[in-house]
Amino acid sequence: MYGDTANIRRLARDMRDQAAGLRRQADALVRRADGVDWQGTAAEAMRRRMRERAHHLRGTASSHDEAARSLEQHAAEVDRLKSLIAAIERRVHSLVAGAKERLASLADKIMDGVKDLAPDPVDEMLDRFVPPPPGHKDWLDVDLPGLHR
């Protein structure tokens, strides 16, 4: 499966850090605006405008938090699928190895003169199985007899 989950999680942490920074900026903006020693209609308009800007900054911070959550969920799903692929790979390789051993044993018996033995068709199919590359998502679609997920 594709995706470096450590890198994905690092990006999620970066997004959370950026969200925290945006919130700090919003708080500082409001503090500075409220701290200006200026009175009157224009001063109140400026403070109102700075509170609106701070509100937008906090909204952007919330969007960053949501993006971080999505990245973390994606990383968890990639890890889950990578584990599933690895389990399927191990099981298929075990099935193929068992089939090859049984076929080799059968060939030895035939060479020893036992003529009435026939190979198991499933073993023959497993012997011809061409696996996807290690870790590839195509492992999720492998359907072989004896492969129980």
Side-chain angles (χ1 to χ4, degrees):
M1 196 67 206
Y2 314 106
D4 178 352
T5 55
N7 191 43
I8 294 169
R9 285 186 175 89
R10 184 189 55 74
L11 290 172
R13 280 191 304 275
D14 290 349
M15 293 297 286
R16 288 196 191 288
D17 290 346
Q18 289 174 5
L22 288 168
R23 286 186 182 90
R24 284 190 301 273
Q25 288 177 5
D27 292 344
L29 180 63
V30 170
R31 269 194 315 276
R32 283 193 303 267
D34 287 346
V36 171
D37 189 25
W38 179 26
Q39 301 300 321
T41 306
E44 284 308 309
M46 181 272 302
R47 287 184 186 96
R48 187 172 42 257
R49 182 72 173 147
M50 293 306 104
R51 284 190 289 275
E52 289 172 4
R53 293 287 97 212
H55 174 75
H56 290 291
L57 284 170
R58 289 183 185 106
T60 300
S62 293
S63 295
H64 278 63
D65 286 335
E66 181 59 33
R69 276 190 295 279
S70 294
L71 285 167
E72 288 165 348
Q73 289 171 348
H74 175 69
E77 182 64 8
V78 168
D79 281 342
R80 186 188 73 78
L81 290 174
K82 287 165 90 172
S83 293
L84 178 59
I85 288 168
I88 292 169
E89 279 186 70
R90 285 189 302 274
R91 180 70 178 132
V92 168
H93 287 302
S94 175
L95 287 170
V96 169
K100 288 182 183 292
E101 285 177 27
R102 288 186 296 277
L103 289 171
S105 175
L106 183 63
D108 289 343
K109 289 178 184 176
I110 290 172
M111 294 301 287
D112 290 342
V114 180
K115 303 290 185 200
D116 61 345
L117 296 175
D120 182 331
V122 172
D123 284 349
E124 290 180 315
M125 180 189 64
L126 288 170
D127 187 47
R128 292 187 307 271
F129 175 72
V130 178
H136 196 278
K137 68 181 178 79
D138 286 351
W139 280 102
L140 297 171
D141 297 323
V142 170
D143 185 22
L144 293 172
L147 178 63
H148 305 289
R149 297 182 197 184

